[in-house]
Amino acid sequence: MLLPDRPPFVLRARVLTPLAAGGIADHVDGIVSVGAGGRIEWVGSFAAWRPPEGRPEPIDLRPHVVLPGMVDLHAHLPQLPNAGLGYGLDLLTWLERYIFPMERRFDTAEGAASLAPAAFRAFAAAGTTTLLAYGAVYKASMDGAFGAAEEHGIRAILGKVMMDRITYDETIDPSTILERSVRESAELIEQWHGADDGRLGYAVTPRFAISCTADLLRESAALAARTGAWWQTHVDEDPGEIAEVARLFPEAKDYVDVYDRAGGLGARTILAHAVHLNDRELARLVETDTRVAHCPASNLFLASGIMPLARFREAGLKIGLGSDVAGGPDPSIFEVMQVGAYAQASLRTMSGETRPILQPLDWLRVGTLDGASALGLDDRIGSLEARKDADLIAIDPRVTAPRRDLPYDPERVAPDEVVSRLIFRAHPDMVRGAWVRGRRLEGPAEPVE
């Protein structure tokens, strides 16, 4: 079957999506109609479909399932080649041994242009249509990465890493590093933030408190506030990291307070990890409407810990999911859901936690609509509803069966069972199509009859 490359088009498939008003919509034989401008015009059952004059004939993808595209709130573009390496190391050792040497190679526009397209194809192949990612410290490489995202079509929010206390850029003058990093970030914001009618965006990106002085944290937060960009960094990931932050910032109450003093908290801020928040930190993040990228696969791979997700959600913390490639060994948000579900079940067993754990449809919402909400983009993406952008994926659920020659009858599979298979039997070839604003992304495997 041929998938559409550009809007307008109409897809016929099982349509499964969280809804902004709550709950889910599940149309076993459904329609998604995408208009010429790349927005969803209509979603519903095939039986209720009354196509307006001039609409194209539906492309029948059954038994494929159409879902909203996944939203990845935390990844590192230059690190993808190192995915799966460094198991058993603590965070700081892993950074020195595997990550900083890798990021040094991401130093030119040409270097970024050779890696970034493959990275974007990998994320799209995993079902991710929106990506919030770190680059490296080099401005030229970020130009190359943005150029690759512009060409590929993925919805991308990227940022040049900022580091002035320690850095792997051996060419920079230490006396000018802060001024240069802020200036280069501002220049990238001017060029790329909001490009292609908002499909591309910029996140001001101080790496984490250990690599940044208080001055850089403050200047970077002010830059984000002044330009309307996002602000992203790491917090409370690893006990060793937390202890080092306490040593470097003795005046701060805790790790979150380091960023609070810099003016970095708020609704445009995404903090990755937040595994070990104390009660004061949790309350302050909720009070300031700061958002968090939960990265359970990375947290277990690097033995950082398990976030008490149910307690944090109950407290009102806004949380989406992040692959954290290469700390997380796979770019798939479905794999992240799987590890997250196992981690929460283990935490419940070991700690006597009584709060309910997330079920498959809950995980789907966290990986789509909650991620979009964390970015302030839930009015555009995150669910398949009329007037939203057509950011969607098509998945062949048959490849998640224990054997591919087993019969598959969609009408006998409940929606939570569909998603449960996608999470707990995720397959690298299950995503067969991905679109952003109705434009098909390169990466996913071609569909089969």
Side-chain angles (χ1 to χ4, degrees):
M1 66 183 70
L2 294 177
L3 295 178
D5 290 327
R6 293 287 190 277
F9 58 81
V10 180
L11 300 180
R12 182 179 182 184
R14 183 169 194 163
V15 180
L16 183 55
T17 179
L19 297 174
I24 66 155
D26 174 38
H27 305 288
V28 176
D29 185 1
I31 288 286
V32 178
S33 177
V34 178
R39 289 192 173 182
I40 298 171
E41 295 182 323
W42 193 86
V43 180
S45 69
F46 175 74
W49 170 238
R50 299 293 181 267
E53 188 70 27
R55 288 297 182 274
E57 286 294 313
I59 299 169
D60 196 342
L61 298 183
R62 295 174 299 166
H64 287 59
V65 180
V66 172
L67 303 171
M70 299 296 113
V71 178
D72 189 338
L73 291 181
H74 184 62
H76 296 261
L77 277 184
Q79 297 179 16
L80 187 60
N82 276 349
L85 301 180
Y87 175 74
L89 297 177
D90 66 274
L91 171 67
L92 300 182
T93 303
W94 176 77
L95 286 170
E96 289 293 339
R97 186 175 302 179
Y98 282 101
I99 297 311
F100 292 164
M102 187 75 219
E103 291 190 10
R104 284 192 190 99
R105 305 175 200 171
F106 203 73
D107 60 345
T108 64
E110 293 75 19
S114 66
L115 172 61
F120 294 136
R121 290 193 295 270
F123 283 105
T128 294
T129 55
T130 296
L131 177 66
L132 174 63
Y134 291 47
V137 298
Y138 310 103
K139 181 193 175 191
S141 69
M142 292 315 303
D143 277 321
F146 270 111
E150 183 177 44
E151 182 174 350
H152 180 260
I154 196 169
R155 191 181 296 273
I157 303 167
L158 310 175
K160 183 191 89 69
V161 169
M162 306 172 78
M163 304 167 68
D164 72 332
R165 188 191 299 273
I166 56 172
T167 182
Y168 51 79
D169 182 358
E170 298 168 351
T171 68
I172 197 166
D173 180 351
S175 67
T176 64
I177 190 170
L178 191 157
E179 181 277 330
R180 175 175 162 182
S181 189
V182 173
R183 171 174 48 81
E184 289 179 343
S185 297
E187 291 168 353
L188 288 165
I189 290 171
E190 184 175 2
Q191 181 175 358
W192 292 108
H193 186 55
D196 193 17
D197 194 26
R199 178 173 64 84
L200 302 179
Y202 197 87
V204 180
T205 307
R207 185 176 210 109
F208 64 161
I210 290 176
S211 65
C212 300
T213 63
D215 287 341
L216 177 58
L217 293 173
R218 183 176 60 254
E219 291 295 322
S220 66
L223 174 63
R226 188 165 65 247
T227 59
W230 286 269
W231 196 74
Q232 62 174 349
T233 190
H234 301 76
V235 73
D236 283 320
E237 179 179 0
D238 174 89
E241 168 211 20
I242 295 168
E244 182 64 4
V245 169
R247 184 185 73 81
L248 293 171
F249 296 88
E251 72 284 357
K253 299 173 184 175
D254 43 45
Y255 202 155
V256 165
D257 193 46
V258 172
Y259 298 144
D260 203 355
R261 288 167 178 260
L265 305 186
R268 298 284 281 183
T269 292
I270 307 291
L271 299 180
H273 302 299
V275 177
H276 302 286
L277 297 176
N278 62 40
D279 289 344
R280 197 210 72 82
E281 290 176 306
L282 175 61
R284 185 59 181 153
L285 293 184
V286 172
E287 180 184 13
T288 57
D289 201 21
T290 302
R291 287 82 194 281
V292 162
H294 176 37
C295 308
S298 170
N299 299 152
L300 291 189
F301 186 81
L302 295 174
S304 299
I306 299 176
M307 173 194 280
L309 180 62
R311 181 166 71 86
F312 287 1
R313 281 168 53 90
E314 183 179 80
L317 189 61
K318 290 186 177 178
I319 301 172
L321 297 178
S323 65
D324 194 25
V325 167
D330 196 290
S332 170
I333 291 297
F334 292 100
E335 295 280 1
V336 171
M337 295 176 190
Q338 178 186 123
V339 176
Y342 288 146
Q344 294 304 309
S346 297
L347 184 65
R348 181 182 175 90
T349 300
M350 294 183 297
S351 69
E353 169 67 72
T354 59
R355 297 174 182 85
I357 59 177
L358 298 184
Q359 297 302 308
L361 292 174
D362 301 319
W363 282 109
L364 177 63
R365 177 177 287 270
V366 176
T368 55
L369 195 54
D370 285 358
S373 178
L375 292 170
L377 297 177
D378 48 317
D379 59 334
R380 299 187 198 178
I381 61 171
S383 60
L384 304 181
E385 300 183 78
R387 294 180 295 281
K388 285 194 171 185
D389 288 352
D391 289 20
L392 49 91
I393 57 176
I395 293 181
D396 186 349
R398 294 170 295 186
V399 304
T400 67
R403 283 186 57 92
R404 297 195 189 187
D405 56 355
L406 289 173
Y408 181 80
D409 182 357
E411 295 187 1
R412 301 184 65 179
V413 184
D416 61 323
E417 294 171 340
V418 172
V419 177
S420 185
R421 279 274 180 85
L422 300 183
I423 294 173
F424 295 106
R425 289 190 56 83
H427 190 281
D429 292 333
M430 69 186 191
V431 178
R432 299 297 192 174
W435 294 263
V436 168
R437 292 182 181 164
R439 175 185 169 185
R440 189 180 172 199
L441 305 180
E442 185 181 356
E446 293 289 333
V448 294
E449 296 293 343

